[in-house]
Amino acid sequence: MMQKPQFVTLEGVEGAGKSTQKQVVCELLASRDIPFVETREPGGSLHAEQIRELLLAPSETPPSDLCELLLMFAARADHIEQTVQPALARGHWVICDRFTDATYAYQGGGRALPAAWIETLERLVHPTFGPDTTILFDVPVDVGLARATQRGTLDRIESEDRAFFERVRASYHAQAASEPARYVVVDATPNADDVSQSLRETLTARWFS
Ligand code: T5A
């Protein structure tokens, strides 16, 4: 059995089912008495949660794209220092809803900011640290947006247009293809129970066999 605590991130377009399936990951760990911490980005620490509010609140005057990018990494710096690294040091796994891959997908893909800017900030904020496993919940944009819309009010970023989310999804595909050892790609189109079953089998084989 794998002993070192793992840093696990969940990614996908809006409405892919990350929050729903995060429970499956947590139940899998709990059933094996593995201690873990659940967290999210942007957010996951006191100051990062305050930045999250700034980032996601609907606004008639949205922040500039560069401001949005810098705030994502400002929140991340605090989250890593206050929450993620202390948990791993205590021997807890960390299950995190989104991380830097989301910045490449949303600010790099969606907003078309240069990847070099994101790489520079990544080297500054977490030069030697990153996820051990990233689970990409892959779903066609129309399906994800329909689910997110049905669930309720959309936040500022969720309110972007379809083309934005097609670029986000394409970026995730490219990232998964470039790091196949770290990425687990799950088809999130079927009903939630079928996605859970497939996820459980894949993660059990990856971590515990
Ligand atoms: N962001 C984040 C950036 O731009 N850059 C960054 O660096 C980071 C870190 C907040 C926003 O910030 C952006 C991305 C986001 O826009 P978030 O808090 O993770 O990120 O919020 P969302 O991605 O918007 O999370 P959602 O809650 O919308 O999506 P989930 O978690 O993927 O979906 P979930 O589980 O809530 O499901 C949505 C609905 O669909 C249903 C659920 O019951 C729910 O009603 N559902 C299904 N229905 C049918 N079949 C299935 N298989 C289903 N699975 C779930």
mmCIF file of all heavy atoms in Angstrom, residues 7 39-41 43-48 72-90 94 96 99 124-127 129:
data_model
loop_
_atom_site.group_PDB
_atom_site.id
_atom_site.type_symbol
_atom_site.label_atom_id
_atom_site.label_comp_id
_atom_site.label_asym_id
_atom_site.label_seq_id
_atom_site.Cartn_x
_atom_site.Cartn_y
_atom_site.Cartn_z
ATOM 1 N N PHE A 7 -0.959 14.341 -2.492
ATOM 2 C CA PHE A 7 -1.666 15.585 -2.808
ATOM 3 C C PHE A 7 -2.468 15.308 -4.082
ATOM 4 O O PHE A 7 -1.896 15.087 -5.149
ATOM 5 C CB PHE A 7 -0.650 16.709 -3.002
ATOM 6 C CG PHE A 7 -1.251 18.046 -3.342
ATOM 7 C CD1 PHE A 7 -2.504 18.425 -2.879
ATOM 8 C CD2 PHE A 7 -0.543 18.952 -4.123
ATOM 9 C CE1 PHE A 7 -3.047 19.665 -3.195
ATOM 10 C CE2 PHE A 7 -1.077 20.195 -4.439
ATOM 11 C CZ PHE A 7 -2.330 20.548 -3.975
ATOM 12 N N THR A 39 -10.030 20.292 0.672
ATOM 13 C CA THR A 39 -9.887 21.736 0.520
ATOM 14 C C THR A 39 -10.210 22.134 -0.923
ATOM 15 O O THR A 39 -10.618 21.286 -1.719
ATOM 16 C CB THR A 39 -8.471 22.163 0.975
ATOM 17 O OG1 THR A 39 -8.389 23.582 0.953
ATOM 18 C CG2 THR A 39 -7.379 21.573 0.100
ATOM 19 N N ARG A 40 -10.050 23.432 -1.229
ATOM 20 C CA ARG A 40 -10.435 23.888 -2.574
ATOM 21 C C ARG A 40 -9.662 25.129 -2.952
ATOM 22 O O ARG A 40 -9.118 25.823 -2.090
ATOM 23 C CB ARG A 40 -11.920 24.214 -2.599
ATOM 24 C CG ARG A 40 -12.274 25.436 -1.742
ATOM 25 C CD ARG A 40 -13.709 25.821 -1.905
ATOM 26 N NE ARG A 40 -14.077 26.973 -1.081
ATOM 27 C CZ ARG A 40 -15.283 27.483 -1.027
ATOM 28 N NH1 ARG A 40 -16.257 26.949 -1.728
ATOM 29 N NH2 ARG A 40 -15.544 28.536 -0.277
ATOM 30 N N GLU A 41 -9.650 25.405 -4.253
ATOM 31 C CA GLU A 41 -9.083 26.663 -4.759
ATOM 32 C C GLU A 41 -10.038 27.285 -5.764
ATOM 33 O O GLU A 41 -10.701 26.543 -6.489
ATOM 34 C CB GLU A 41 -7.733 26.401 -5.426
ATOM 35 C CG GLU A 41 -6.641 26.102 -4.429
ATOM 36 C CD GLU A 41 -5.250 26.467 -4.943
ATOM 37 O OE1 GLU A 41 -5.109 26.766 -6.135
ATOM 38 O OE2 GLU A 41 -4.328 26.465 -4.127
ATOM 39 N N GLY A 43 -9.239 29.444 -2.545
ATOM 40 C CA GLY A 43 -9.747 29.339 -1.179
ATOM 41 C C GLY A 43 -8.921 28.358 -0.372
ATOM 42 O O GLY A 43 -7.764 28.100 -0.670
ATOM 43 N N GLY A 44 -9.523 27.827 0.679
ATOM 44 C CA GLY A 44 -8.882 26.779 1.467
ATOM 45 C C GLY A 44 -8.059 27.274 2.645
ATOM 46 O O GLY A 44 -7.521 26.467 3.390
ATOM 47 N N SER A 45 -7.957 28.586 2.820
ATOM 48 C CA SER A 45 -7.324 29.170 4.014
ATOM 49 C C SER A 45 -8.016 30.506 4.240
ATOM 50 O O SER A 45 -8.737 30.996 3.353
ATOM 51 C CB SER A 45 -5.814 29.365 3.818
ATOM 52 O OG SER A 45 -5.577 30.310 2.791
ATOM 53 N N LEU A 46 -7.788 31.107 5.402
ATOM 54 C CA LEU A 46 -8.526 32.335 5.746
ATOM 55 C C LEU A 46 -8.413 33.410 4.649
ATOM 56 O O LEU A 46 -9.421 33.894 4.122
ATOM 57 C CB LEU A 46 -7.996 32.878 7.077
ATOM 58 C CG LEU A 46 -8.591 34.205 7.520
ATOM 59 C CD1 LEU A 46 -10.080 34.059 7.816
ATOM 60 C CD2 LEU A 46 -7.855 34.747 8.749
ATOM 61 N N HIS A 47 -7.196 33.758 4.308
ATOM 62 C CA HIS A 47 -7.017 34.857 3.355
ATOM 63 C C HIS A 47 -7.388 34.427 1.936
ATOM 64 O O HIS A 47 -7.917 35.223 1.149
ATOM 65 C CB HIS A 47 -5.585 35.382 3.428
ATOM 66 C CG HIS A 47 -5.259 35.908 4.788
ATOM 67 N ND1 HIS A 47 -5.842 37.044 5.302
ATOM 68 C CD2 HIS A 47 -4.482 35.417 5.784
ATOM 69 C CE1 HIS A 47 -5.421 37.241 6.538
ATOM 70 N NE2 HIS A 47 -4.585 36.260 6.855
ATOM 71 N N ALA A 48 -7.123 33.171 1.610
ATOM 72 C CA ALA A 48 -7.478 32.692 0.265
ATOM 73 C C ALA A 48 -8.998 32.671 0.079
ATOM 74 O O ALA A 48 -9.497 32.941 -1.020
ATOM 75 C CB ALA A 48 -6.881 31.311 0.028
ATOM 76 N N MET A 72 -5.303 34.703 -8.185
ATOM 77 C CA MET A 72 -5.321 33.228 -8.083
ATOM 78 C C MET A 72 -4.047 32.745 -7.394
ATOM 79 O O MET A 72 -4.093 31.883 -6.516
ATOM 80 C CB MET A 72 -5.427 32.582 -9.472
ATOM 81 C CG MET A 72 -6.764 32.732 -10.151
ATOM 82 S SD MET A 72 -8.085 31.842 -9.289
ATOM 83 C CE MET A 72 -9.505 32.354 -10.294
ATOM 84 N N PHE A 73 -2.913 33.310 -7.794
ATOM 85 C CA PHE A 73 -1.658 32.858 -7.199
ATOM 86 C C PHE A 73 -1.451 33.430 -5.787
ATOM 87 O O PHE A 73 -0.812 32.775 -4.960
ATOM 88 C CB PHE A 73 -0.471 33.173 -8.116
ATOM 89 C CG PHE A 73 -0.202 32.055 -9.092
ATOM 90 C CD1 PHE A 73 -0.609 32.154 -10.405
ATOM 91 C CD2 PHE A 73 0.439 30.890 -8.681
ATOM 92 C CE1 PHE A 73 -0.375 31.113 -11.302
ATOM 93 C CE2 PHE A 73 0.674 29.844 -9.572
ATOM 94 C CZ PHE A 73 0.263 29.958 -10.886
ATOM 95 N N ALA A 74 -1.979 34.613 -5.529
ATOM 96 C CA ALA A 74 -1.899 35.145 -4.153
ATOM 97 C C ALA A 74 -2.659 34.207 -3.205
ATOM 98 O O ALA A 74 -2.159 33.837 -2.133
ATOM 99 C CB ALA A 74 -2.485 36.555 -4.102
ATOM 100 N N ALA A 75 -3.853 33.814 -3.622
ATOM 101 C CA ALA A 75 -4.648 32.889 -2.808
ATOM 102 C C ALA A 75 -3.905 31.562 -2.651
ATOM 103 O O ALA A 75 -3.852 30.974 -1.566
ATOM 104 C CB ALA A 75 -6.017 32.665 -3.465
ATOM 105 N N ARG A 76 -3.310 31.099 -3.746
ATOM 106 C CA ARG A 76 -2.617 29.790 -3.735
ATOM 107 C C ARG A 76 -1.430 29.811 -2.768
ATOM 108 O O ARG A 76 -1.188 28.825 -2.059
ATOM 109 C CB ARG A 76 -2.175 29.469 -5.162
ATOM 110 C CG ARG A 76 -1.525 28.115 -5.338
ATOM 111 C CD ARG A 76 -1.571 27.690 -6.798
ATOM 112 N NE ARG A 76 -2.938 27.584 -7.251
ATOM 113 C CZ ARG A 76 -3.409 28.084 -8.403
ATOM 114 N NH1 ARG A 76 -2.598 28.698 -9.232
ATOM 115 N NH2 ARG A 76 -4.676 27.943 -8.717
ATOM 116 N N ALA A 77 -0.693 30.916 -2.750
ATOM 117 C CA ALA A 77 0.479 30.998 -1.869
ATOM 118 C C ALA A 77 0.052 30.807 -0.417
ATOM 119 O O ALA A 77 0.682 30.066 0.350
ATOM 120 C CB ALA A 77 1.165 32.350 -2.055
ATOM 121 N N ASP A 78 -1.035 31.476 -0.039
ATOM 122 C CA ASP A 78 -1.515 31.363 1.343
ATOM 123 C C ASP A 78 -2.057 29.963 1.616
ATOM 124 O O ASP A 78 -1.794 29.377 2.676
ATOM 125 C CB ASP A 78 -2.616 32.409 1.580
ATOM 126 C CG ASP A 78 -2.882 32.596 3.066
ATOM 127 O OD1 ASP A 78 -1.977 33.102 3.755
ATOM 128 O OD2 ASP A 78 -3.972 32.221 3.530
ATOM 129 N N HIS A 79 -2.800 29.433 0.663
ATOM 130 C CA HIS A 79 -3.412 28.103 0.833
ATOM 131 C C HIS A 79 -2.345 27.023 1.011
ATOM 132 O O HIS A 79 -2.463 26.154 1.878
ATOM 133 C CB HIS A 79 -4.274 27.824 -0.411
ATOM 134 C CG HIS A 79 -4.951 26.494 -0.410
ATOM 135 N ND1 HIS A 79 -4.980 25.685 -1.524
ATOM 136 C CD2 HIS A 79 -5.621 25.829 0.557
ATOM 137 C CE1 HIS A 79 -5.645 24.575 -1.229
ATOM 138 N NE2 HIS A 79 -6.046 24.645 0.010
ATOM 139 N N ILE A 80 -1.295 27.094 0.197
ATOM 140 C CA ILE A 80 -0.232 26.077 0.302
ATOM 141 C C ILE A 80 0.438 26.167 1.674
ATOM 142 O O ILE A 80 0.620 25.158 2.361
ATOM 143 C CB ILE A 80 0.817 26.265 -0.826
ATOM 144 C CG1 ILE A 80 0.206 25.913 -2.182
ATOM 145 C CG2 ILE A 80 2.049 25.398 -0.560
ATOM 146 C CD1 ILE A 80 1.093 26.265 -3.371
ATOM 147 N N GLU A 81 0.761 27.408 2.063
ATOM 148 C CA GLU A 81 1.514 27.573 3.316
ATOM 149 C C GLU A 81 0.657 27.257 4.550
ATOM 150 O O GLU A 81 1.128 26.641 5.497
ATOM 151 C CB GLU A 81 2.053 29.006 3.397
ATOM 152 C CG GLU A 81 2.991 29.200 4.583
ATOM 153 C CD GLU A 81 3.571 30.606 4.612
ATOM 154 O OE1 GLU A 81 4.013 31.094 3.549
ATOM 155 O OE2 GLU A 81 3.574 31.208 5.698
ATOM 156 N N GLN A 82 -0.607 27.689 4.517
ATOM 157 C CA GLN A 82 -1.450 27.564 5.714
ATOM 158 C C GLN A 82 -2.166 26.216 5.820
ATOM 159 O O GLN A 82 -2.498 25.785 6.921
ATOM 160 C CB GLN A 82 -2.526 28.667 5.722
ATOM 161 C CG GLN A 82 -1.979 30.078 5.723
ATOM 162 C CD GLN A 82 -1.234 30.418 7.008
ATOM 163 O OE1 GLN A 82 -1.569 29.916 8.070
ATOM 164 N NE2 GLN A 82 -0.198 31.237 6.900
ATOM 165 N N THR A 83 -2.447 25.594 4.688
ATOM 166 C CA THR A 83 -3.318 24.403 4.722
ATOM 167 C C THR A 83 -2.656 23.161 4.126
ATOM 168 O O THR A 83 -2.600 22.115 4.769
ATOM 169 C CB THR A 83 -4.641 24.701 3.945
ATOM 170 O OG1 THR A 83 -5.250 25.855 4.505
ATOM 171 C CG2 THR A 83 -5.594 23.520 3.985
ATOM 172 N N VAL A 84 -2.167 23.275 2.900
ATOM 173 C CA VAL A 84 -1.763 22.063 2.170
ATOM 174 C C VAL A 84 -0.489 21.459 2.767
ATOM 175 O O VAL A 84 -0.462 20.271 3.127
ATOM 176 C CB VAL A 84 -1.564 22.365 0.661
ATOM 177 C CG1 VAL A 84 -1.110 21.111 -0.077
ATOM 178 C CG2 VAL A 84 -2.854 22.905 0.052
ATOM 179 N N GLN A 85 0.555 22.272 2.887
ATOM 180 C CA GLN A 85 1.816 21.701 3.370
ATOM 181 C C GLN A 85 1.732 21.246 4.835
ATOM 182 O O GLN A 85 2.240 20.167 5.160
ATOM 183 C CB GLN A 85 2.966 22.660 3.094
ATOM 184 C CG GLN A 85 3.255 22.639 1.584
ATOM 185 C CD GLN A 85 4.494 23.377 1.152
ATOM 186 O OE1 GLN A 85 4.820 24.416 1.723
ATOM 187 N NE2 GLN A 85 5.155 22.880 0.126
ATOM 188 N N PRO A 86 1.072 21.995 5.727
ATOM 189 C CA PRO A 86 0.933 21.489 7.098
ATOM 190 C C PRO A 86 0.191 20.147 7.152
ATOM 191 O O PRO A 86 0.554 19.261 7.927
ATOM 192 C CB PRO A 86 0.141 22.591 7.815
ATOM 193 C CG PRO A 86 0.461 23.833 7.050
ATOM 194 C CD PRO A 86 0.591 23.393 5.619
ATOM 195 N N ALA A 87 -0.844 19.981 6.327
ATOM 196 C CA ALA A 87 -1.593 18.716 6.340
ATOM 197 C C ALA A 87 -0.698 17.559 5.882
ATOM 198 O O ALA A 87 -0.655 16.501 6.515
ATOM 199 C CB ALA A 87 -2.825 18.828 5.441
ATOM 200 N N LEU A 88 0.023 17.769 4.794
ATOM 201 C CA LEU A 88 0.906 16.706 4.294
ATOM 202 C C LEU A 88 1.983 16.383 5.336
ATOM 203 O O LEU A 88 2.328 15.211 5.552
ATOM 204 C CB LEU A 88 1.553 17.128 2.961
ATOM 205 C CG LEU A 88 0.574 17.253 1.770
ATOM 206 C CD1 LEU A 88 1.272 17.938 0.589
ATOM 207 C CD2 LEU A 88 0.035 15.886 1.348
ATOM 208 N N ALA A 89 2.483 17.429 6.014
ATOM 209 C CA ALA A 89 3.524 17.216 7.026
ATOM 210 C C ALA A 89 2.992 16.402 8.210
ATOM 211 O O ALA A 89 3.739 15.669 8.850
ATOM 212 C CB ALA A 89 4.062 18.563 7.507
ATOM 213 N N ARG A 90 1.682 16.531 8.490
ATOM 214 C CA ARG A 90 1.056 15.736 9.564
ATOM 215 C C ARG A 90 0.756 14.314 9.120
ATOM 216 O O ARG A 90 0.240 13.510 9.872
ATOM 217 C CB ARG A 90 -0.301 16.352 9.968
ATOM 218 C CG ARG A 90 -0.256 17.642 10.749
ATOM 219 C CD ARG A 90 -1.607 17.902 11.431
ATOM 220 N NE ARG A 90 -2.764 17.871 10.544
ATOM 221 C CZ ARG A 90 -3.211 18.904 9.833
ATOM 222 N NH1 ARG A 90 -2.572 20.060 9.881
ATOM 223 N NH2 ARG A 90 -4.291 18.781 9.075
ATOM 224 N N VAL A 94 -4.188 15.226 1.005
ATOM 225 C CA VAL A 94 -4.918 16.463 0.729
ATOM 226 C C VAL A 94 -5.713 16.273 -0.563
ATOM 227 O O VAL A 94 -5.139 15.927 -1.604
ATOM 228 C CB VAL A 94 -3.953 17.659 0.602
ATOM 229 C CG1 VAL A 94 -4.707 18.919 0.179
ATOM 230 C CG2 VAL A 94 -3.225 17.890 1.928
ATOM 231 N N CYS A 96 -7.950 18.240 -3.064
ATOM 232 C CA CYS A 96 -8.149 19.660 -3.367
ATOM 233 C C CYS A 96 -8.936 19.856 -4.657
ATOM 234 O O CYS A 96 -8.537 19.368 -5.719
ATOM 235 C CB CYS A 96 -6.768 20.326 -3.468
ATOM 236 S SG CYS A 96 -6.859 22.092 -3.713
ATOM 237 N N PHE A 99 -6.452 23.340 -8.684
ATOM 238 C CA PHE A 99 -5.124 23.842 -8.302
ATOM 239 C C PHE A 99 -4.544 24.548 -9.537
ATOM 240 O O PHE A 99 -5.304 25.037 -10.382
ATOM 241 C CB PHE A 99 -4.247 22.671 -7.790
ATOM 242 C CG PHE A 99 -3.002 23.081 -7.067
ATOM 243 C CD1 PHE A 99 -3.051 23.800 -5.879
ATOM 244 C CD2 PHE A 99 -1.742 22.755 -7.578
ATOM 245 C CE1 PHE A 99 -1.892 24.182 -5.217
ATOM 246 C CE2 PHE A 99 -0.583 23.118 -6.918
ATOM 247 C CZ PHE A 99 -0.653 23.830 -5.741
ATOM 248 N N LEU A 124 7.509 30.803 -8.772
ATOM 249 C CA LEU A 124 7.627 31.634 -7.574
ATOM 250 C C LEU A 124 6.863 31.015 -6.391
ATOM 251 O O LEU A 124 7.368 30.947 -5.272
ATOM 252 C CB LEU A 124 7.074 33.033 -7.871
ATOM 253 C CG LEU A 124 7.029 34.011 -6.702
ATOM 254 C CD1 LEU A 124 8.453 34.423 -6.302
ATOM 255 C CD2 LEU A 124 6.208 35.257 -7.072
ATOM 256 N N VAL A 125 5.643 30.566 -6.652
ATOM 257 C CA VAL A 125 4.733 30.172 -5.558
ATOM 258 C C VAL A 125 4.935 28.716 -5.126
ATOM 259 O O VAL A 125 4.870 28.409 -3.939
ATOM 260 C CB VAL A 125 3.268 30.449 -5.977
ATOM 261 C CG1 VAL A 125 2.277 29.869 -4.981
ATOM 262 C CG2 VAL A 125 3.041 31.951 -6.139
ATOM 263 N N HIS A 126 5.155 27.836 -6.077
ATOM 264 C CA HIS A 126 5.418 26.426 -5.659
ATOM 265 C C HIS A 126 6.416 25.781 -6.632
ATOM 266 O O HIS A 126 6.078 24.909 -7.431
ATOM 267 C CB HIS A 126 4.125 25.611 -5.503
ATOM 268 C CG HIS A 126 3.221 25.527 -6.680
ATOM 269 N ND1 HIS A 126 3.183 24.435 -7.510
ATOM 270 C CD2 HIS A 126 2.306 26.399 -7.180
ATOM 271 C CE1 HIS A 126 2.272 24.638 -8.450
ATOM 272 N NE2 HIS A 126 1.733 25.809 -8.278
ATOM 273 N N PRO A 127 7.678 26.201 -6.512
ATOM 274 C CA PRO A 127 8.695 25.758 -7.481
ATOM 275 C C PRO A 127 8.943 24.251 -7.490
ATOM 276 O O PRO A 127 9.226 23.698 -8.542
ATOM 277 C CB PRO A 127 9.960 26.516 -7.041
ATOM 278 C CG PRO A 127 9.704 26.964 -5.647
ATOM 279 C CD PRO A 127 8.230 27.133 -5.513
ATOM 280 N N PHE A 129 6.903 21.860 -5.751
ATOM 281 C CA PHE A 129 5.791 21.167 -5.113
ATOM 282 C C PHE A 129 4.598 21.136 -6.059
ATOM 283 O O PHE A 129 4.308 22.125 -6.729
ATOM 284 C CB PHE A 129 5.437 21.944 -3.834
ATOM 285 C CG PHE A 129 4.167 21.516 -3.185
ATOM 286 C CD1 PHE A 129 4.139 20.382 -2.407
ATOM 287 C CD2 PHE A 129 3.007 22.251 -3.352
ATOM 288 C CE1 PHE A 129 2.961 19.979 -1.810
ATOM 289 C CE2 PHE A 129 1.831 21.863 -2.755
ATOM 290 C CZ PHE A 129 1.815 20.720 -1.978
#
